[in-house]
Amino acid sequence: MSRASALRLATAAAALLLGASFFVLQHWLERSRLTDIPVYARYASLMRAGELPYRDFPVEYPPAALPAFLLPSYLPWSYATSFAVVMGVCGAGCIAAAAAALRALDATLLRATAAVLFVGVSPLALGSLFDSRFDLWPALLAVAALAAALHERPVAAGALAGLAFAAKLWPLALAPLLLVHLWRRRGAVAAAAGAAGFAAAAAACFVPFAAIASGGVWHSLVSQLDRPLQVESLGAAVLYAGEHLGGLPLVTVSTHGSQALAGSLPDAVAAASSALEALCVVAIWGAFASRRRPDAEALVAACAAATAALVAFGKVFSPQFLIWLVPLVPLVRGR
């Protein structure tokens, strides 16, 4: 059996493993849980009733997230089951995109098999986050953009990155890395084509809604960026340590669908955490751009590192953010 055939077999096995993991989650595990499914179902119900997002009702997420909410409402099962099916398809897409990236990296069969199987079993590690949050959708678009860049397809890479950004903002951190890689591999024209693809895809998602409800679209963006220090974040963990060790008084509030810390000190820590997050991402961009030779392995490592920095140092750390890492980190060679 050739290595290409063996990788296809491993990819299929990983997809089956992912499907089995979703089945286990749905039928035996996580029956009592916090979930965003009611929010998504409400969005879908309002859209199917003819109401326009951002104009007729507020939406917390960017426009390219809407298909992930609407599509399950057309499937024949309950909304929760249908949403899990859609996320399972996105997960299988992540496996396929990861396999495509590994082919471009000329990865060994052992490395490629381990990577795709890791993605396949990841739902059992993270639990109901996979079938009750839509984060597999932007993760799929992001890893597909990376695979397209590795295969030196600038327009596809840019367009997929633009759609990923329009689905959940964070993939914007990957776009400069992809464009620098394309510039080095195929020159300024390819980088410009990638940038144009990004801009066109993002504009196609944002502009129609901004034209009819600019205030609603702006509010959805500000609500994502203007959140307080979430209790799960690294900054909040430091403050909680101070509370336990030195009696530091902390006030917890419920906002934006989660628990956060309120007060001048948490606000200052949130600002410092955001600054550290931005500094880390920019440092990763700079380190990658300073390399003298185009290096596909370095691109993969930089994309995984930038995403990890967003997760680790953000002032908001919802557990589902770990899903962003699932299709990217296993692609990195070695430790």
Side-chain angles (χ1 to χ4, degrees):
M1 181 184 295
S2 67
R3 186 171 67 174
S5 298
L7 179 56
R8 284 194 290 270
L9 182 62
T11 301
L16 290 174
L17 182 60
L18 183 94
S21 299
F22 267 78
F23 184 84
V24 170
L25 287 179
Q26 282 282 300
H27 291 274
W28 289 297
L29 300 178
E30 306 288 354
R31 290 189 178 276
S32 178
R33 65 196 184 196
L34 295 174
T35 175
D36 287 347
I37 292 294
V39 176
Y40 304 157
R42 176 178 172 272
Y43 290 157
S45 176
L46 291 172
M47 285 187 283
R48 292 195 63 176
E51 297 194 36
L52 288 176
Y54 308 107
R55 189 193 70 180
D56 299 328
F57 63 94
V59 178
E60 182 181 353
Y61 306 103
L66 298 176
F69 308 147
L70 185 59
L71 179 58
S73 69
Y74 288 98
L75 298 182
W77 310 287
S78 70
Y79 187 88
T81 299
S82 299
F83 185 83
V85 170
V86 172
M87 289 301 103
V89 172
C90 289
C94 286
I95 292 172
L102 291 161
R103 285 196 298 272
L105 294 170
D106 198 26
T108 65
L109 180 59
L110 177 61
R111 173 188 170 190
T113 300
V116 296
L117 290 178
F118 177 91
V119 179
V121 77
S122 56
L124 294 182
L126 295 181
S128 64
L129 299 175
F130 268 80
D131 62 352
S132 63
R133 308 297 196 279
F134 81 99
D135 292 81
L136 273 171
W137 169 233
L140 167 60
L141 295 169
V143 72
L146 173 59
L150 291 171
H151 283 277
E152 301 179 20
R153 297 176 180 174
V155 176
L160 288 166
L163 288 175
F165 163 67
K168 205 167 181 179
L169 303 186
W170 68 264
L172 179 63
L174 308 186
L177 301 170
L178 304 182
L179 295 178
V180 168
H181 179 75
L182 291 169
W183 186 304
R184 286 176 169 169
R185 295 290 297 180
R186 295 187 54 186
V189 173
F198 180 95
C205 296
F206 280 101
V207 169
F209 290 103
I212 59 174
S214 58
V217 173
W218 178 250
H219 175 74
S220 73
L221 298 176
V222 170
S223 67
Q224 292 293 314
L225 300 175
D226 194 32
R227 296 179 65 173
L229 189 69
Q230 194 173 13
V231 295
E232 293 95 341
S233 67
L234 180 61
V238 173
L239 292 180
Y240 275 123
E243 181 185 44
H244 286 291
L245 296 175
L248 179 69
L250 296 175
V251 177
T252 303
V253 296
S254 296
T255 180
H256 294 83
S258 63
Q259 302 296 307
L261 297 180
S264 57
L265 181 57
D267 288 346
V269 171
S273 182
S274 297
L276 178 60
E277 177 185 38
L279 180 63
C280 286
V281 172
V282 171
I284 291 166
W285 290 350
F288 179 74
S290 66
R291 299 180 67 89
R292 294 183 178 181
R293 296 181 179 180
D295 187 341
E297 296 285 1
L299 173 64
V300 170
C303 288
T307 305
L310 294 177
V311 173
F313 298 116
K315 63 180 179 179
V316 175
F317 174 47
S318 295
Q320 65 264 26
F321 293 178
L322 296 173
I323 294 173
W324 307 350
L325 301 174
V326 167
L328 293 174
V329 171
L331 301 180
V332 180
R333 182 174 61 187
R335 289 181 293 179

